[in-house]
Amino acid sequence: MALLAIHSFFKLSVLTFFILAPAARASEWIEYSNNGFATLTHYSLPLNYIASCGCTAESTHYPTAALSQMAFGSSTAYGPACGRCFNLTLLNTFLSVPPFYPPVQKSIVVKVTDLCPLSTTGWCNATTNGPNAAGNYLNFDLAYPSTSIPSNFFPSNASYYGYTDFGVWNISYESVSCNGWEGWNDAAALGSVTGQGPESVCCAADPTNSSNTCTSYSDHNGIA
């Protein structure tokens, strides 16, 4: 009888672990408000490249960005941030001494199509345990240079600093409807690529609630 009870308890414990494990992983994702502050970096994304979310190739013809992994909501493929649009406003540079405050603030609406992988260093390394080196929990990695973004989007003062690319900016962000995104009126730039199956890609045209927002691919598939 005792052995049966132990065996039953063991099975229940194992079952409970597997039921709660995804929830435990999900709780490690960074929950963030619809507006706040973040850092902004930039990376090279080839034109027509299909990034983590599986958004259409045409989406790369418009402003897009990767979001730091723990805010993105998945360690691979798609996550809840896929397809969301944000208005990003440049505030000041982080690494330069002294910080550079542009005379005119510039903003851009981007669509999240990619994830910026978690690392032990760098700007996408924030977790629920602590922010990145700039004190922010979110980092947007802008796909830049881009045919959709003017080459002078990032302001500079080369005569003073001796260079034009500051690398890291402090920004404010605001979650906005994607109808303000430059690619909104291009049907080919919206949604996911076809032919890879619904379990492989997820890029909502304008995610607004749980019914049209992507799930976490890694949570759904038990990937750490």
Side-chain angles (χ1 to χ4, degrees), residues 107-172:
S107 298
I108 188 170
V109 175
V110 300
K111 190 175 185 68
V112 174
T113 64
D114 203 0
L115 74 85
C116 183
L118 181 67
S119 61
T120 54
T121 59
W123 304 102
C124 293
N125 66 339
T127 68
T128 52
N129 294 321
N132 63 19
N136 291 305
Y137 284 87
L138 274 68
N139 183 78
F140 292 88
D141 206 10
L142 182 68
Y144 179 87
S146 168
T147 56
S148 65
I149 304 174
S151 59
N152 64 348
F153 171 71
F154 287 104
S156 63
N157 187 342
S159 62
Y160 182 86
Y161 291 95
Y163 54 87
T164 58
D165 188 351
F166 290 104
V168 184
W169 284 79
N170 287 314
I171 65 167
S172 62

Side-chain angles (χ1 to χ4, degrees), residues 162-187:
Y163 54 87
T164 58
D165 188 351
F166 290 104
V168 184
W169 284 79
N170 287 314
I171 65 167
S172 62
Y173 74 86
E174 180 183 8
S175 177
V176 296
S177 169
C178 287
N179 62 16
W181 180 55
E182 189 179 329
W184 179 253
N185 293 317
D186 184 353

Side-chain angles (χ1 to χ4, degrees), residues 34-214:
N34 285 330
N35 55 74
F37 298 98
T39 46
L40 177 70
T41 51
H42 63 83
Y43 76 121
S44 297
L45 184 71
L47 200 63
N48 299 318
Y49 183 81
I50 307 300
S52 296
C53 296
C55 301
T56 64
E58 190 68 20
S59 67
T60 62
H61 294 248
Y62 304 98
T64 64
L67 184 59
S68 45
Q69 180 176 310
M70 301 311 288
F72 180 85
S74 181
S75 61
T76 187
Y78 55 80
C82 284
R84 291 190 66 181
C85 291
F86 294 87
N87 184 56
L88 310 180
T89 301
L90 302 177
L91 299 179
N92 64 277
T93 58
F94 178 72
L95 295 174
S96 64
V97 179
F100 173 60
Y101 291 82
V104 177
Q105 287 188 339
K106 291 187 176 182
S107 298
I108 188 170
V109 175
V110 300
K111 190 175 185 68
V112 174
T113 64
D114 203 0
L115 74 85
C116 183
L118 181 67
S119 61
T120 54
T121 59
W123 304 102
C124 293
N125 66 339
T127 68
T128 52
N129 294 321
N132 63 19
N136 291 305
Y137 284 87
L138 274 68
N139 183 78
F140 292 88
D141 206 10
L142 182 68
Y144 179 87
S146 168
T147 56
S148 65
I149 304 174
S151 59
N152 64 348
F153 171 71
F154 287 104
S156 63
N157 187 342
S159 62
Y160 182 86
Y161 291 95
Y163 54 87
T164 58
D165 188 351
F166 290 104
V168 184
W169 284 79
N170 287 314
I171 65 167
S172 62
Y173 74 86
E174 180 183 8
S175 177
V176 296
S177 169
C178 287
N179 62 16
W181 180 55
E182 189 179 329
W184 179 253
N185 293 317
D186 184 353
L190 301 175
S192 311
V193 293
T194 59
Q196 297 188 34
E199 291 299 315
S200 301
V201 297
C202 182
C203 184
D206 190 16
T208 55
N209 54 62
S210 59
S211 67
N212 63 1
T213 299
C214 301

